[in-house]
Amino acid sequence: MTTLQTTTPLRLHHLHLCSSAPDALAAFYQELFELQPVSAPERLIALAGGERAVVIHQGESGGLAMAAYAARSPEELAQLRDRLAELVCDSGPEGEIFFAPGAFTVTDPQGRRLLFGVPRSGRQPDRLAARLQHTVFQTTELKTVVDFYVERIGFTISDEVVADEGTVATCFLRSDDEHHSLAFFQGSRNVWDHHCYETSCWNDIRDWGDRFARVRRGIFFGPGRHGPGNNLFFMVTDPDGNRVELSAELERVAADQAPGVWPHEEYTLNSWGRGWIRT
C-alpha cells in the first residue's frame, strides 16, 4: 500500500485560523510564540518564526480554515499531486504565503481543507523550541474520515482508542515517522479540537509553563503523559479559546509497525492522572 511515510513524507508546517478578533489573536501568537508579521494578501494576517507559523482570517472564532503540510521537495510534491489528481484544487494566493508556487489543496468528505506545498525557505531553530507538529479534530463520521485519509491521502494509523463495545473512538494518523501529525475522535460535532507544538525535552515543557504563567494563562489539562504517542504534554487556550498543546518526547514509528490499540479510559489520555474525555 502506498503511504506518505514511505513515498512522500509530510510535516505539518502552518495553520490558517479563523477569528472574529484577528488582531488580538495575532498579538497572542506574536507575544507568546515569538512570531513576526510577514507579507500576506489583503485581509489576512501572516506570522512566522523559526519552526512555527500561522495565517489568521477574519471569520467565526474557533475554526481552522486550513492545515498546511510541507513536502520535502518539488519532485515529491509533484508525485503526490499526480496521485491525488482528481482531488486537487488550486491553492490561490493564500496557499503561497509560506509555500512556493505549485501548492495545492484537497478537501475531505466533511469539508476540511488541507494544503500541500514546498516551503519557500528553510526553517531555523527557535529561541524557545516548539515546532508546530500536529492538529486534531472531532468528527461525527470517524470511519468515513479515517478511510479517506488512509486509503486516499496515504496517512498511516499509528494507534486507535477503542471503547468497551469495540468501536473505535479515536484514531492517530502519521504522515512521516512521528507518531501522529493528524488525529480524529468520534464526537457529536464536526469541530477543530486542538493543535500541538513539539518541544525538545521536559525542561522545555517547564519553561513554556512558566511563560504562560507569567501572563496568567493557566494550564487546563496536564501536565501529564499520553498513552498513544507516549509524549509529555500540557494544554492552554489562546484568546479565541483554541486549545494549544505543548509536547515533548513524541514517539517515532517504523513504517511497518502495526497499529496499537488502547482502551477508552483516563489512563490512555493521561497516564499520570486525570484525563479529559471528550463526548
Side-chain angles (χ1 to χ4, degrees), residues 1-5 83-84 108-109 114 142-160 171-175 182 184 259:
M1 178 180 173
T2 298
T3 70
L4 296 171
Q5 184 178 7
R83 186 166 63 77
L84 303 179
D108 79 11
L114 268 63
L142 183 63
K143 185 179 186 309
T144 297
V145 169
V146 169
D147 283 352
F148 173 82
Y149 282 96
V150 172
E151 303 297 334
R152 194 65 196 89
I153 305 300
F155 284 80
T156 305
I157 297 174
S158 293
D159 277 318
E160 293 178 319
C171 191
F172 296 87
L173 304 172
R174 66 183 184 272
S175 54
L182 181 65
F184 293 92

Side-chain angles (χ1 to χ4, degrees), residues 31-168:
E31 177 185 357
L32 289 172
F33 284 85
E34 299 184 345
L35 303 183
Q36 298 299 318
V38 300
S39 178
E42 188 178 1
R43 294 186 296 278
L44 299 180
I45 299 172
L47 307 169
E51 294 189 299
R52 43 190 184 257
V54 64
V55 178
I56 302 175
H57 302 241
Q58 179 76 42
E60 184 177 354
S61 292
L64 182 64
M66 198 155 54
Y69 284 80
R72 298 183 299 187
S73 69
E75 293 76 20
E76 289 190 358
L77 183 67
Q79 182 181 346
L80 180 63
R81 185 183 187 115
D82 288 345
R83 186 166 63 77
L84 303 179
E86 71 275 18
L87 301 173
V88 168
C89 291
D90 179 56
S91 69
E94 65 179 1
E96 296 183 0
I97 298 171
F98 295 117
F99 286 162
F104 63 90
T105 67
V106 301
T107 303
D108 79 11
Q110 293 189 313
R112 300 175 194 87
R113 294 176 69 207
L114 268 63
L115 171 66
F116 301 115
V118 176
R120 289 182 175 273
S121 59
R123 291 187 141 175
Q124 302 299 318
D126 290 283
R127 186 186 66 83
L128 186 56
R131 169 175 53 87
L132 180 62
Q133 196 279 322
H134 73 254
T135 191
V136 178
F137 296 89
Q138 179 179 163
T139 174
T140 57
E141 298 290 342
L142 183 63
K143 185 179 186 309
T144 297
V145 169
V146 169
D147 283 352
F148 173 82
Y149 282 96
V150 172
E151 303 297 334
R152 194 65 196 89
I153 305 300
F155 284 80
T156 305
I157 297 174
S158 293
D159 277 318
E160 293 178 319
V161 177
V162 178
D164 290 341
E165 66 274 17
T167 59
V168 176

Side-chain angles (χ1 to χ4, degrees), residues 173-184:
L173 304 172
R174 66 183 184 272
S175 54
D176 61 4
D177 62 351
E178 291 188 315
H179 182 271
H180 60 285
S181 62
L182 181 65
F184 293 92

